[in-house]
Amino acid sequence: MQSDASLATLFNPDSVAVIGASDNPGKLGHLVLANLVGAGYRGKLFPVNPAGGEILGIAVSPAIDQLPHPPDLAVVVLPRQQVLDTLAELAEAHVRSVCVITAGFRETGRDGFDLEMEMAELARRRNMTLLGPNSLGLINTACGLNATIAQAMPAKGSIGFFSQSGALCSAILDWADGEQFGFSKFVSLGNKAALSEADVLEALGDDPDTKVIIGYLESVDDGEKFLRKARAVTSSKPVIMIKAGTTPSGARATSSHTGSMAGSVEASAAAFRQAGIIQVNDLEALFDLARAFAEQPLPQGPNLTVITNSGGPGILAADACEGAGLALARPGPQCLQALTEALPPFASIYNPIDIIGDARADRYRATLEAVADDETTHAVLTLLTPTASAEIEATAQAIIDTAAACHKPMFACFMGHERVGPGRDMLLAAGVPCYAYPEPAIRAIAAMLAHHRWLNRPHPVEVCFRRDKGKAEYVIDKARKLGLKELPFADAMTVAAAYELPVPETRLVRTSEQAVRAAKKLGYPVALKIVSPHIQSRADVGGVAIDLHTPRDVRDAWLDITSRCQRKRPDAYIAGCMVQTMGPIRGREVEVRFTQDPQFGPLLSFCLAGPLSEMLGDVSHRLAPLTLQDAQDIVREIRSFPLLRGVRGEEPVNLAAIEDILLSMSQLACDFPSIQEAVLSPVLVNAEGALVSDLRLTIG
Amino acid sequence: MQSDASLATLFNPDSVAVIGASDNPGKLGHLVLANLVGAGYRGKLFPVNPAGGEILGIAVSPAIDQLPHPPDLAVVVLPRQQVLDTLAELAEAHVRSVCVITAGFRETGRDGFDLEMEMAELARRRNMTLLGPNSLGLINTACGLNATIAQAMPAKGSIGFFSQSGALCSAILDWADGEQFGFSKFVSLGNKAALSEADVLEALGDDPDTKVIIGYLESVDDGEKFLRKARAVTSSKPVIMIKAGTTPSGARATSSHTGSMAGSVEASAAAFRQAGIIQVNDLEALFDLARAFAEQPLPQGPNLTVITNSGGPGILAADACEGAGLALARPGPQCLQALTEALPPFASIYNPIDIIGDARADRYRATLEAVADDETTHAVLTLLTPTASAEIEATAQAIIDTAAACHKPMFACFMGHERVGPGRDMLLAAGVPCYAYPEPAIRAIAAMLAHHRWLNRPHPVEVCFRRDKGKAEYVIDKARKLGLKELPFADAMTVAAAYELPVPETRLVRTSEQAVRAAKKLGYPVALKIVSPHIQSRADVGGVAIDLHTPRDVRDAWLDITSRCQRKRPDAYIAGCMVQTMGPIRGREVEVRFTQDPQFGPLLSFCLAGPLSEMLGDVSHRLAPLTLQDAQDIVREIRSFPLLRGVRGEEPVNLAAIEDILLSMSQLACDFPSIQEAVLSPVLVNAEGALVSDLRLTIG
């Protein structure tokens, strides 16, 4: 863990030493120094090289212990084998922050990994901030600090950036150069031996020059810490991130690249969401969103008004709007009146407002002014195609003027390249995001709306559980001592009951006669289910019979089930069957489960029971602990939620009963990290309540 | 319908008249002439204006009948009210092709629509090719013809473009200007009064200068013709299209823009797919794909090799690859050997091949050469980030050289802007598509693979049906004469039987005693189902009981069903119940249906029965008539297909039985356009066969 104070010397050093500075322009040790000089850094610079002499007109110290005074920040560009000793020397000299650019550690195998661990341990012991190794360096445009081996210094701006990929940083700096894109801080995390993404995120959150944070990550080291810090940051600033390795192919490439283990895609997506981070899938979206957040206020609602001089792009915008979950605003009567007066008869005054191909700037201006005053409109997107009549720069000016005069977010899409270029440049310079196509503009607006909703989310409600943790602990410990991988069914039921999960009364039986006797005791109707440590999914082997009303039903079912299971799974040991009360529940079947993610801890999942939900990806996820809001959201988030709310006049199922189960499971998952996986499926739910009809607890 | 010969005079006229030419540079009548002159058109130009005189140094004819000889093409830029009479004069003068740029017709309401219809009728009667009205014009770069009101003339190239939106054309021309993007033909369809998208598509298909066709459409006028012509074109050239109005919002905007009715999204998507058209959702994809198809050979398989000097973008590429249905190639032993020799020890020789940040051009070249020879690799994507060591132009040259020497498609992604710009320009000039991010490159490669598969698809198999069309016709006619909206169940069963659909034996009964007698005749077990003209979905009201084994079961079920249905739907007239044989079928439940699409005719749909499939969008579609391949594909295309193929050791269901039903339904839909909708649901299917358990036929 890095303390806050130490990051000040990393980002705002009064002096910087370059350890391994070189007078050979082809060496990285030269490049770093040249970048520092070239970016106009006004603090002291200390090149260090045993050869001494002078580089770029600056006197070189032959060794760290011969520096005139300890620098705030040391940038290390030495061969790998010298790095550890150098760190020790720097610690000895009371240097607070170090950035190691040298590569060849964790990413190269066992030896490198060990060396990196020693460096991290040294930094921890000596309370030294360590960025890298294998970092491209860092930039702070506020004080002209470019301590990188990149080829460019970005313009000043309000976007803070961090990346786990160094070479990607080079690409982004080069790209930003041509796109009027300015940064406040720019940090290449490297191997994250000590300073983690969470630390940098926190520092950027505290940085007054940073308005928007964007980041590229391949792995998260301490999920819990990341989540906690990110949540604090996103309450004041938007954080937009791209997570690489979200497919099996990508995950394989990740681990070969960084040597770090990727957790599950679902867990990191849930973490980002629960931390209020906006996750995007490609770099283009990262920048499109960053610009929008940096320049425009958040929309206060979902209603977008589109102004266009061309029907086609208006339709594409309408399509994109619906796809992104935005709505087309319905302009109010006053606005419609103003539009009717301002526009020619063939214009379409309904949204998308089509002011037709012969529109000049004055028509855009009148439309923008009418729309800016419209109360139903939360955001405005102005499309322009370079028709013969289009006045590109005057239209840009009209948009800029309207944006300056109103509090609504304004966006532009000038379609084309050469002719629309000057208008686009004017808009970007004036802080109106201008895109080449409607789709990215709308994607950005949708993300801003999501952030607005995040900022205005209800205060999280702490949930208090009655539970008998001791009882569950006893049962689980017993199973662990026996070396079991899965809790015996009866024990699993005990745990469930201890956490007040609604389970049916159950008897384990070994003969059909025992089954009949149990059924009599429990009261008809009953269900009969196969019990075998080797059968994971009873339904798949025909191991379940429900709604048995008579002793005869029970005997028939016993024969059916056991013979079918033995035929289908001759390898399975059949321990017997369980007899369960059916209860009053007849309704939908849902599934609640959790697993332990290596990076983020317990991950809860919810879906309709049955193979279709998973196959079609209709499963929602949240990391534990769940807030009440989380429990409500996870249930409503699945696309098949209408089936629970009731279709075609059905009664809705008891959603609170499902939420209670989710909250209890969240508690169970947090109380027992030793439970690797818990599956409640099916959970029967109807208007009255819910009943956990079957469950499995796997322990590790 | 426009004949082929006449399109020759449209695209390659020996002479062009501009009717409504003007010497006022602010008028469109001036712009068209200026564009024709400026683009270097070498045919004869005849400006026509009653004022006579000279424009841009060309003598003006005062009237059409005073032209020295009839022009091949006339471009009309007159006020709306003069257009119809002018068309008549042009026809009189034997002008073969006319492009009407004037707007204010169908898109403005009833009057304009009527006027447009008269123009279309005139053109048809006089066998005159009519492009527009409300067209931006057309361009043929091969003969320097720019008969448009656009602001730019595109470079020569091999891409043919047509668009239903004129202003969009302006945007695209402007965009192409800055992107080294060349066109062969460029056609603004306008209102499509006479010349349709199908005609232009066919013409571009026949055009030797056009290698790739791209188009923007909002509506298709004659679905059957479009499908037929497109299928012919795509067998030789790739056709990439964007269809606007694919959401309800977009569709509303479309009809307000063009006054044309949008058919269903599913039908047009099915049409595009069955015609081999590549459908994309945004303009960016349209151009990205066009460039790839125009410049590179098609990949012969799905295996992509990624070369990168930066791990992060490599991972993003791997993610995108998996998302697009491509695979990462596993380089063969020879290739691995060559890579091991050529690359430093910390490089990753497995795909993505990470040649690390200090790679110079020689390392790229060695890697490219090793990969070009690798037999498992079908396409190569080379990523470059501008690291300190990157040699951007030399790397571009290495890619260009390798691409020239091998038959595999090669793509590049140079990430950044200023520094990578020169390399990017070299690549584009040499015909290697170069993108700014990995994702668009991979999207393009995936589209090319899809086209390769389309070209190599099995020859369509004609399917021959035994059916009793006369019997079905009799039953349907009877119902229509009675004014029924839905066929009575018994009649629907008759139709189904006439088309050899596997239906159970069924008796309609009105009392529980009749039900018991019917069950005895049919043989137990039976199913009992409510019959009511007011109940659409029996299952929703609890109107179905299955697996009834005894008279007692039947009587109980009768009471259950009828009382439940009356309680739930007190408004419904209950005609009775039907008793059905259960047959040997116990298995999965699927649904087969068709509807009549206004643009494309009968659209067949397939999914698993139940509300989940539709809710989660797991439905596949094809337009009738279906080929055998279509029937096979539609079944396999749903994401839940694994359930039919059998999960966890289950037997697969009888897929051929489902395909037979689909083919029979296709025939029924084609034979009877008067059947508005047919729904077979559920269709029970298992390893033995299929049984249509319930069906509804709606007639119009």
Side-chain angles (χ1 to χ4, degrees), chain B residues 156 178-182 291 294-296 396-397 400 403 412 421-434:
Chain B
K156 257 191 208 182
E179 293 279 331
Q180 302 199 19
F181 208 89
R291 198 192 291 278
E295 303 288 7
Q296 289 291 311
Q397 194 57 52
I400 292 166
R424 179 167 176 271
D425 289 346
M426 282 173 66
L427 288 161
L428 293 182
V432 177
C434 181

Side-chain angles (χ1 to χ4, degrees), chain B residues 367-688:
Chain B
T367 309
L368 280 159
E369 280 165 3
V371 164
D373 289 339
D374 177 46
E375 281 183 12
T376 60
T377 295
H378 297 121
V380 182
L381 171 62
T382 305
L383 308 179
L384 176 140
T385 51
T387 59
S389 317
E391 293 173 341
I392 288 161
E393 284 159 274
T395 303
Q397 194 57 52
I399 299 171
I400 292 166
D401 293 345
T402 325
C406 86
H407 301 295
K408 285 172 191 168
M410 304 282 267
F411 303 85
C413 168
F414 276 28
M415 298 179 74
H417 193 283
E418 296 292 319
R419 274 191 71 216
V420 300
R424 179 167 176 271
D425 289 346
M426 282 173 66
L427 288 161
L428 293 182
V432 177
C434 181
Y435 302 90
Y437 303 99
E439 295 82 4
I442 281 166
R443 178 170 61 181
I445 300 168
M448 291 176 84
L449 175 65
H451 189 62
H452 165 76
R453 288 181 171 155
W454 167 255
L455 293 179
N456 292 281
R457 69 196 183 280
H459 198 74
V461 175
E462 296 289 328
V463 187
C464 201
F465 301 89
R466 283 179 306 167
R467 64 187 196 275
D468 189 344
K469 188 179 170 189
K471 193 173 195 177
E473 200 156 28
Y474 171 78
V475 170
I476 292 167
D477 279 353
K478 190 182 69 179
R480 295 181 70 179
K481 278 177 196 143
L482 289 171
L484 300 180
K485 290 268 170 241
E486 185 178 332
L487 280 196
F489 185 78
D491 290 347
M493 288 301 251
T494 305
V495 172
Y499 275 73
E500 302 221 334
L501 291 168
V503 285
E505 265 196 274
T506 302
R507 299 271 186 286
L508 181 65
V509 295
R510 297 185 187 278
T511 68
S512 62
E513 281 319 303
Q514 283 178 3
V516 170
R517 280 202 296 276
K520 191 177 172 190
K521 266 199 188 143
L522 294 172
Y524 286 100
V526 296
L528 196 67
K529 300 177 183 174
I530 199 79
V531 175
S532 161
H534 304 114
I535 293 175
Q536 306 290 311
S537 176
R538 296 179 229 281
D540 285 353
V541 293
V544 176
I546 59 167
D547 218 10
L548 309 173
H549 284 265
T550 64
R552 163 104 197 247
D553 286 352
V554 172
R555 275 191 208 98
D556 287 353
W558 178 278
L559 275 177
D560 269 8
I561 287 178
T562 51
S563 63
R564 196 155 47 216
C565 291
Q566 272 162 358
R567 202 170 57 244
K568 288 211 174 178
R569 292 291 306 277
D571 57 313
Y573 163 67
I574 309 278
C577 284
M578 53 184 155
V579 184
Q580 288 183 336
T581 50
M582 289 288 295
I585 293 287
R586 267 295 170 91
R588 299 282 175 192
E589 300 190 344
V590 300
E591 178 175 318
V592 176
R593 66 164 70 209
F594 69 74
T595 54
Q596 301 284 350
D597 184 77
Q599 283 180 10
F600 292 102
L603 177 71
L604 278 114
S605 312
F606 176 74
C607 62
L608 294 193
L612 219 47
S613 291
E614 200 172 340
M615 207 167 271
L616 304 183
D618 192 34
V619 186
S620 55
H621 303 277
R622 284 291 184 287
L623 294 168
L626 259 56
T627 65
L628 188 56
Q629 184 68 45
D630 287 332
Q632 288 170 356
D633 289 347
I634 195 173
V635 174
R636 283 156 186 81
E637 218 169 83
I638 57 172
R639 282 171 290 149
S640 48
F641 176 66
L643 292 182
L644 300 178
R645 203 183 42 206
V647 285
R648 293 180 257 200
E650 283 172 1
E651 266 188 302
V653 306
N654 188 330
L655 298 172
I658 304 178
E659 289 155 23
D660 283 348
I661 294 176
L662 282 158
L663 290 166
S664 295
M665 286 285 274
S666 162
Q667 188 68 56
L668 180 66
C670 293
D671 287 350
F672 295 99
S674 60
I675 304 182
Q676 279 300 306
E677 187 178 46
V679 183
L680 314 186
S681 181
V683 177
L684 302 174
V685 56
N686 67 8
E688 276 82 52

Side-chain angles (χ1 to χ4, degrees), chain A residues 580-602:
Chain A
Q580 288 184 334
T581 51
M582 290 287 295
I585 294 287
R586 267 297 170 88
R588 298 283 174 191
E589 299 190 345
V590 299
E591 178 175 317
V592 176
R593 65 164 71 209
F594 68 76
T595 54
Q596 300 285 350
D597 183 78
Q599 283 180 9
F600 292 101

Side-chain angles (χ1 to χ4, degrees), chain B residues 288-300:
Chain B
D288 286 345
L289 266 58
R291 198 192 291 278
F293 275 104
E295 303 288 7
Q296 289 291 311
L298 297 177
Q300 303 297 304

Side-chain angles (χ1 to χ4, degrees), chain A residues 174 245 249 319 322 419 540, chain B residues 174 245 249 319 322 419 648:
Chain A
D174 187 33
S249 304
D319 281 336
E322 180 136 341
R419 274 191 72 215
D540 284 353
Chain B
D174 187 32
S249 303
D319 281 337
E322 180 137 342
R419 274 191 71 216
R648 293 180 257 200

Side-chain angles (χ1 to χ4, degrees), chain A residues 13 359 418 521 527 627 636:
Chain A
E418 295 292 318
K521 265 201 190 142
T627 64
R636 284 157 185 81

Side-chain angles (χ1 to χ4, degrees), chain A residues 310-316 346-348 352 354 356, chain B residues 104-110 112-113 116-117 133-134 163-167 189-193 197 216-221 243-245 250-263 599:
Chain A
S310 165
I315 301 171
L316 294 177
F346 298 149
S348 168
D354 186 351
I356 340 187
Chain B
F105 296 88
R106 177 203 303 250
E107 76 278 16
T108 61
R110 189 73 219 172
F113 182 85
E116 188 176 314
M117 287 300 102
N134 194 16
S163 168
Q164 197 172 342
S165 164
L189 294 172
N191 288 3
K192 306 190 292 184
E197 61 284 340
Y216 165 90
L217 278 184
E218 294 170 5
S219 63
V220 172
D221 293 321
K243 168 85 169 60
R252 270 194 304 277
T254 303
S255 61
S256 100
H257 178 218
T258 60
S260 58
M261 181 177 55
Q599 283 180 10

